[in-house]
Structure formats: structure tokens, C-alpha cells
Amino acid sequence: MGGRRAKYKQAPPAPLADLNSRPSSKKLGKRKADIEADLEREESTISRPAKRVKENKKLAKEKEKTSTKPRKTGNSPEKGKNRKVVGVEHIESGGDSDEWEDASDPGDGEAITGNLSDLEFVDQDDNLLQGTPEELDLGSDDDQEVELFPKRGTKKSKQFERPAKIIPTGSDASSSDEDSDEEDEHVTMANMEARSRALDAQAAREAELDVQEMQDAVQTEDDADAQMQDGDGDDESFHLPTAEQRETEKRGVSDVHVVQSRMRRCVRVLGNFKKLAEKDRSRSEYLEQLVSDIASYYGYNDFLAEKLFQLFPVAEAIEFFEANEVSRPVTIRTNTLKTRRRDLAQALINRGVNLEPIGKWTNVGLQVFESAVPIGASPEYLAGHYMLQAASSFLPVIALSPQPNERVLDMASAPGGKTTHLAALLQNTGHVFANDANKARTKSLAANVHRMGCKNVTVSSYDAREFPKVMGGFDRVLLDAPCSGTGVISKDSSVKVNKSERDFQLLSHLQKQLILCAIDSVSPDSKTGGYIVYSTCSVTVDENEAVVDYALRKRPNVKLVDTGIEFGREGFTKFRGKTFNPSVKLTRRFYPHVHNMDGFFVAKFKVEKRAKVQAGEKATEGVDGKLPVTVEEDVGFDSEEDKPFIQEGKRRQMKAKGLRVPPRQRTEQNAATKAGG
């Protein structure tokens, strides 16, 4: 017999000279009782065929019958310990070597199973038979020799040990890095610089990966364009629908997937029109079809879809319309009159709110991701520690930047987010006049003013176009003008269908009136102020750059200045044949698909002293349409001449307060009558 069987064949046992080394008869009884249970457990752990295990069972039963039963004298000291022995009882009872050979030598063509370490018991302690049995994998003759006897005290064989990795992978390197990071988890002055460099290196690697992904995406698009050009792709069958097909599609219900696919293909064709366009089709036809599909897919009327589409390049326009379908993040503004942002964030985190700062451009804003409590009804909210406010609404107040002890006018202030922000920046000094034309909305305005603890706010309800007559001489004015709301479509989807060209004309006219009134309400003699901020939540040019350019032409003593906001896109100086003042580029535009906030527009003006043309000079317009700036004439004040007017003003004040008004003198009556006439 050769091969692997000869290699591991058990030699005949030597004579048992030392009788003390034989196992006691007490243990044999336990072995016989446990053989059946051990063999059953072996079936679940051994990976050899079940046929050989069954043969071992039968063989063990036959040997139990032929073996001599030992005398039981008491409980075995090794009771409770599992042992797996095949044919051991027969040897211990004095069986010959032939029978041992029959038990251990399998027949030809069958694989060896079992545990050879259990068979080698000569001059060994019974402790070797304890623990989990070791299984040998004798798959081929080329296998290396396996250690038959495990070390003392081991409970698992080497076969159950996890094999070492042969080929190191990236995960190994990352795991080693993680291990080293865990070792250096405690930050000290010694390892702080090294950890900072490691973080910078990791950020650089991530940036490289992002650039690589963008390049791969561009390459994929180029390949798709090449397929379209060669006719290999599925876009080969794409053709613009005819006029009859478009009319039929409008009357019925169009397939969303067809419209989406056609939009994507139109964008691709317009991006490389010379190579991908059909020969008998013009660019305007593709644009008309794309605008029609946008209106159908996103639910806009044709007028508004085209008006918004004209603001962007083709690919970016799709991103803008897509961003309008997604809600903007929930943001809150910390009320610095009552708390600090860090303390507020900690209090909300303790209540189960997941949040983080909005960005570096504001030190009072927090972005809320999820909350276990109603964010608009928490104890902190009711105590006035924060205000639910969109991130874009921070921008006008940041641009206005009021200084303490100034008089500030908020011309359209409801529901009070910007007003309370102004009061917080003023630190409850100076005075804020919060006006809103809608008297019903002033209730929420007053409620928020009280909740936020603003003590320097006066609420009024006038038409903002009357404000220069009602009160003037403000240091700063904030005009968040009524607008079409094309920047907040994600909040109010009704804008998609209820805005027409007439609405934009009326709103633009109203905004031009309001901005002139705001300019006239500012005192040019203010030492610290003299600024106006004009803002809208719209992205159309008619409500933004056109209104600003109109104000610059109508008020020569006004100029645009930098808003102080570090991000945002510059305003348009040219748009579809219209040319605006070059300084309009100082204004700032914000878009939902770029800045992840509502669409917004911010412009900041500086009001200077009004100039008059000297006598004898002919007023001529300059290149930019402004009047030449000259020195203002000094007009004296004659108190005697104006005395009747002053006395009449005092009488009216006393009458309004309910005081007794003294009778007029005849001279005053005549003067007042002349003045009134």
C-alpha cells in the first residue's frame, strides 16, 4: 500500500510495559457513552462525505459489542469532557494489531476521515484528547505534512485559523492607516501638525478623484456624441416632431419618458450643433422644441418657461428647472439678542436636532437636516432664540450692514425676519421702522418682534410709495420689493402657471416707484449711512437689473457700491439687446442650482448730496446720461418769514394731543391764510 495511506499508516503498537500509563477503567465507560454523540457532532463539522462517517459509526458499534465492559466504581474525574476516539477501546482492552489495522486502514478508493491525533495516544496524557478535534485535509500527495499533535492548551486547530492574505490590497493599506490613526487617536501638540498634514493630503486626493470623475463624465459625453455622429448609437432615429405631431401631443397627454428623452437629446444636439444637428433643421427649431418640452415636463406655462430659459445656457437651464423641483434646506437664524449660535446649537442637539452652520458667510445661520421635535414649536423657538428664515433672506441685511444708533427703514417688512435681524445687528440701539402695506400681515410682524425681544422697532402700515411724505431722513433703507417669486418656485409652485407678461409689467412699474421713494427717504447728510439695499426673490431681468438701471438714470446723486457679499454671480450689463449701466455688475445674483438657496437679487446704493446746476449754465447730459455735478447753492433760512408756518405747525400738534390751543392773532391768521392760499 503506497501513497498517502502509507505515509500516515499507523505502525503496530509497542508492548504496554507500563501498566500505569493505561487509561483507567473509569474513563472507558464514559468514552463508550460519548462515542455516539461525538460522531453525530462530527457530521456537522467535518467536510468529508457523509458515507465515510456512517461507516465509522457502524464500525464503532461493532467494536463496542466485542469490547469488554469495564467495571464502574464511581464517577469519573474527567466526566463532562468530550473525547473523540475511533477504535481506542479495542486497543485498551488488549485487542491485536490486526483489528486496529482494520479500524484505521480504509479501503481502496476511499478518503481518510477522522482525527489522527486522537489515534496517537501512546505515552501521552489524556488531556491531549480534550478540546475540539482536528481535521486533516489530505487532498493530494503534494500537500505538505500537517502537524498531527496540536500544542497543549489550544482549543482550535490550525484548519480553523484565518489564513493570511497573500496579495496586499488597497483595503489592507487603508486598514493599516486606520489602525495607526486609532493608535494616534489622542491628539497632542506633538502629533497635531502631522495629523493636519494627513488631513490636507486626504483632501487633496479626494479633489483629484473629483476632477478625474468629471473628466470621465466629459469623455463619456464625447463618446456618446461621436456615436450620434457616426450613427452607431440609439440617437440615430431621433428626429424633431413636426408641427402636426406637436399639436396632437399638446391636445393629448404626452409620455413623460418620451419628453424627457427628447429634452436630453435636444440639449446634446444644441451643445454640438454643427456635428449633431439635422441638415434641414435650424437652431431655433431645436430651442423651440426644448422650451415646449420643458413647459410640458415641469408644468410651466409657455411664457414663463421661455422667460426663465433665456437667462441661462442650454445645459444650465435644465439644471435650474430641475433645482426648482427640490425643496431648499431648512435654515434658522440665531437671535443674538438672547443667545449665541454655539449655545443654541448645543441646546437643539440635546433635543435631537441634526444641524450644522450654513457657511462662512454668516455667523448666525444654522442648517437643519432632521429634527425629532417640531423646529417651529420648540421651547427655544417660543423663547425667541431663533427665527425660521431662508438663507437667502440673510443677504439683504448683511449687505445693508446697519451701524448702532442709526435710523433704519424696512419698507416691506412682514413677517419680520429681516426686521428682527436689523434690530439684532443694531443691538437694540437706534430705531427700526418696520412698515408693510398689508395691515393684516403686521400682526405676525408685531408678534415676531415681541417674541425676538426687539425693543427698538416701530410697526407701521403705510403704502411704501407715500413714505417720503410720511417720514424721511433715514440713515439706511431696506427695500425687499414685491416681486413675481420666480426664485422661490420650490416653495410656491403656483408661480409656474399664474404669471403672465402683464404681471411682470405691473410689478416692474411698482418696483421702479418704490426704489425712487426709498432713495428719497434716505438722508444724504448721514455721517454713517446714506445707503439703500434693493432686493427681490426673483431672477428675471425686468425686476432686477432693469429697475436698478432706471434708478441710476432718474437719480443722478445715487451710485452703486459693492454689496460686501463674497459669493454670488454678477448682475447682467447686457441682456437680449438691452444695455445697462456698467456699474450694474456690482449687483449680485443667487440661484438655487448654484448656491443651494432661493433665487435672489441684491443691489446696494449710496446716496450723495443732490447737486444743482449753476445759473447761466445749460444742463447737458453726459455720456452716461447723468447731469453734471456742481456745488449746491447755500440757501439761507429767514425765521421771521417762516414764523407763521412754525406757529401753525405747533397749533396742529397741540390740537392732535388734545391740548387747549391758544387763539390766533390776527397777523398770524392773515399770514397763515396767505400761506394756505
Side-chain angles (χ1 to χ4, degrees), residues 8 37 118 122 296 316 326 335 371 397 441 510 516 560 646:
Y8 295 103
D118 294 336
V122 180
S296 174
E316 188 177 358
V326 182
N335 182 16
S371 174
V397 181
R441 300 187 68 190
L510 175 61
L516 293 183
L560 279 173
I646 296 173

Side-chain angles (χ1 to χ4, degrees), residues 397-412:
V397 181
I398 293 175
L400 188 61
S401 184
Q403 303 300 315
N405 299 312
E406 286 187 342
R407 299 172 73 247
V408 182
L409 170 64
D410 189 354
M411 297 185 71

Side-chain angles (χ1 to χ4, degrees), residues 415 609 627:
K609 291 183 179 181
L627 295 176

